[in-house]
Amino acid sequence: MTHSPETPEVPIRPYRVTAAEVVPGDLLALTREDATRHRWYVVTHTLPEAPEVIRFTLRPPLGGVDREETLRREQRVTVAGRRLDVAAVPRVSSPALDGVEFRDGDRLHRLRAVDPTATEVTYVRRWGSWHLDSDEPGDAVTDTEVRRWAVEADREGDIVAHEPRPVRAAEAAGARRVVVTGLGAVTPLGVGTGELWQGLLEGRHGIRELTDEEFDGLPVRIAGTVPVDPAELLPRQAARRMNRAAQFAVLAAREAWADAGYAEGGTRGSGLDPERVGVSLGAILGDASVLVGGDRRLREKGPRGVSPLTTPMTVPSQAASQVSLDLHITGEARTVTSACASGTEAIGQAVDRIRYGRVDVALAGGAEAVVTPAIMASFAAMRALAEGDPATGSPSHPFAKGRDGFVNGEGAGVLVLESEEHARARGARIYCEAAGWGLSADAHHVAAPDPSGDGIALALRRAVRDAGGQVADVVHVNAHATATVDGDLAEARALRGVLGRRDVPVTALKGHLGHLQGAAGGVEAVAAVLTLHHGLVPPTVGCAEVDDAIDLDVVRGAPRPLPPVGDLVLSNSFGFGGHNAVLALRRVA
């Protein structure tokens, strides 16, 4: 849009001459004030009009329209001390923008062409106004102001160019926009997204004492457990062939499928091509109790006591396979295992599968059921588990002073993702855009996070960049915040480093739910979608007093309205071994 790359950088060394001494190629300032304000023109042509008068044709040095000036020969002017190749200075005009319909995502390029040292400034239209394409904060510019710039550009010696956001047809090559159309959840707050959302807004928690005999003697006996038996909500024959995590996943997937407006019976009942639908679920172990139970029966009853379903019900991929069976999905059934980042990474991978045309619809999220004696004992041995009485409040204290560890939990969260074209063609209700995601690895320790937060910050920036946004677009963060001393602090450092001094409202849900392991990213993504949809940020339960070292705007006490300016919500998940995953969701107008 701007000037020729052949246009050189010109050192400005002003001195005074008469008009008669000026020749084509000179950089000319008509007045001393113009020179002070860096308002220069290239002399492209001179023509004597009379013995004492010369007509000059002038053009901004970085390109623009010509203007004519008539000067007396003895008139004093300022030149810059260096000549330009006139042929290298383009003649361009800024088009009027009065009839142009602006859309969010459009770009505007503005160059002060009369200043040889100027650099082009780019604005991006977001939230109905124009913002500098930079992480630096700046005042928003209205559409009216942008149109005025275009009208005045030629007269003021500016160049203004409008770059519309690309519009892709459904069949066009390249990345497609992905949207969220359905939600499902099974959590310690109950079965269904309604129970989840109401519990979050009311500040309730679902952490309970483990009263089964098998937990006797453990140093910690509290966990975030689902309050109903999922097997009782499914046909008996089907439930017997699923492990507990798969039961959670199927229930959440069925809810999300119906919430998206699809018919009971999966792809068959909905008239969808099953090859264009996929499943992408995260899990660390899935259901650890199956393998433990099989080993116990082997020791008690011998080989004949071990069920032939032990192996297929043990693998972490059982949840994804059971969802694909239940809804007759044949496009793909993927399982992601990346510690506690599994659910978020599974959603991100599904976003890419839709973006690039592998499938049109995907059920994505996570499912986990690892509240077992051995897992609880292992976490306790690591000194990672919190203790406390659930009857007196949540034992999980994310971001709080005196936090002492996480609470193990279970559940499932599933999103229905679709290409925007697919969703709009069927008239679907759209919650928000699944705009982008980011991954990174700490490469620091087998269990502990990198205290610098650098790996987390990289994932945050990558998610924002993948969403085509700027850090200034972020209006809310659903934090991972497990309530471990080092983990919360590393995440807070990363968020403050990326967000700068802006007070972006942050919430952490593990005080409500406990840490749902591989399902955490799925359930927290469901909550982040609902936050965008309802415009409310749930409070952080269990954080009576924020640790001074956290230095974040932690939402506590009561829900808070989502800030009106900005459109990105980030949902964070970080796991043992340095797995970092961040999902970026965008508000849809």
Side-chain angles (χ1 to χ4, degrees), residues 339-525:
C340 306
S342 300
T344 296
E345 184 175 345
I347 296 170
Q349 291 198 13
V351 168
D352 278 354
R353 301 298 286 177
I354 296 172
R355 273 178 174 174
Y356 300 110
R358 306 305 185 196
V359 294
D360 299 317
V361 181
L363 288 101
E368 200 82 76
V370 290
V371 182
T372 64
I375 297 296
M376 294 292 294
S378 173
F379 282 144
M382 295 172 64
R383 300 182 183 276
L385 291 182
E387 300 183 48
D389 182 0
T392 62
S394 174
S396 175
H397 307 301
F399 290 139
K401 283 186 177 179
R403 62 191 182 279
D404 60 351
F406 69 86
V407 173
N408 193 20
E410 63 179 8
V414 174
L415 284 65
V416 173
L417 306 174
E418 301 185 45
S419 71
E420 182 182 28
E421 295 85 1
H422 191 277
R424 294 202 183 279
R426 67 183 186 87
R429 179 267 328 279
I430 293 175
Y431 281 107
C432 65
E433 178 187 359
W437 64 300
L439 290 178
S440 72
D442 281 355
H444 173 73
H445 188 270
V446 66
D450 181 349
S452 72
D454 289 348
I456 294 172
L458 177 58
L460 289 164
R461 292 192 180 97
R462 282 177 169 172
V464 172
R465 189 183 312 126
D466 191 48
Q470 301 291 338
V471 171
D473 302 343
V474 178
V475 293
H476 168 55
V477 177
N478 189 308
H480 183 65
T482 59
T484 57
V485 175
D486 294 336
D488 286 11
L489 190 56
E491 183 175 9
R493 284 173 178 157
L495 285 171
R496 182 53 71 193
V498 171
L499 299 175
R501 299 314 305 172
R502 296 172 57 237
D503 281 334
V504 175
V506 175
T507 194
L509 305 185
K510 291 179 176 64
H512 299 267
L513 305 169
H515 187 353
L516 308 190
Q517 308 299 326
V523 170
E524 288 162 12

Side-chain angles (χ1 to χ4, degrees), residues 25-48:
D26 277 345
L27 271 177
L28 173 69
L30 296 172
T31 66
R32 290 179 186 271
E33 183 184 6
D34 281 351
T36 300
R37 295 175 55 220
H38 300 283
R39 189 177 181 84
W40 299 90
Y41 291 91
V42 180
V43 178
T44 62
H45 188 67
T46 62
L47 178 67

Side-chain angles (χ1 to χ4, degrees), residues 222-451:
I222 56 171
T225 54
V226 173
V228 299
D229 182 356
E232 295 180 357
L233 304 177
L234 294 165
R236 182 179 180 185
Q237 188 67 18
R240 289 182 62 248
R241 295 178 177 274
M242 301 181 199
N243 64 31
R244 186 173 174 85
Q247 292 168 359
F248 291 152
V250 167
L251 290 172
R254 286 181 175 183
E255 181 190 11
W257 187 257
D259 187 47
Y262 288 117
E264 187 176 353
T267 58
R268 288 171 172 165
S270 303
L272 290 177
D273 179 355
E275 296 181 6
R276 299 299 301 167
V277 184
V279 179
S280 180
L281 294 182
I284 302 176
L285 297 174
D287 183 351
S289 66
V290 176
L291 187 59
V292 173
D295 184 69
R296 182 187 302 118
R297 283 187 288 274
L298 175 63
R299 286 184 278 108
E300 292 175 352
K301 300 180 180 180
R304 293 184 180 276
V306 179
S307 167
L309 294 175
T310 299
T311 298
M313 290 176 62
T314 296
V315 293
S317 60
Q318 226 242 347
S321 67
Q322 287 293 340
V323 170
S324 72
L325 283 166
D326 189 67
L327 298 175
H328 193 67
I329 293 170
T330 64
E332 54 190 38
R334 303 162 62 85
T335 299
V336 176
T337 300
S338 52
C340 306
S342 300
T344 296
E345 184 175 345
I347 296 170
Q349 291 198 13
V351 168
D352 278 354
R353 301 298 286 177
I354 296 172
R355 273 178 174 174
Y356 300 110
R358 306 305 185 196
V359 294
D360 299 317
V361 181
L363 288 101
E368 200 82 76
V370 290
V371 182
T372 64
I375 297 296
M376 294 292 294
S378 173
F379 282 144
M382 295 172 64
R383 300 182 183 276
L385 291 182
E387 300 183 48
D389 182 0
T392 62
S394 174
S396 175
H397 307 301
F399 290 139
K401 283 186 177 179
R403 62 191 182 279
D404 60 351
F406 69 86
V407 173
N408 193 20
E410 63 179 8
V414 174
L415 284 65
V416 173
L417 306 174
E418 301 185 45
S419 71
E420 182 182 28
E421 295 85 1
H422 191 277
R424 294 202 183 279
R426 67 183 186 87
R429 179 267 328 279
I430 293 175
Y431 281 107
C432 65
E433 178 187 359
W437 64 300
L439 290 178
S440 72
D442 281 355
H444 173 73
H445 188 270
V446 66
D450 181 349

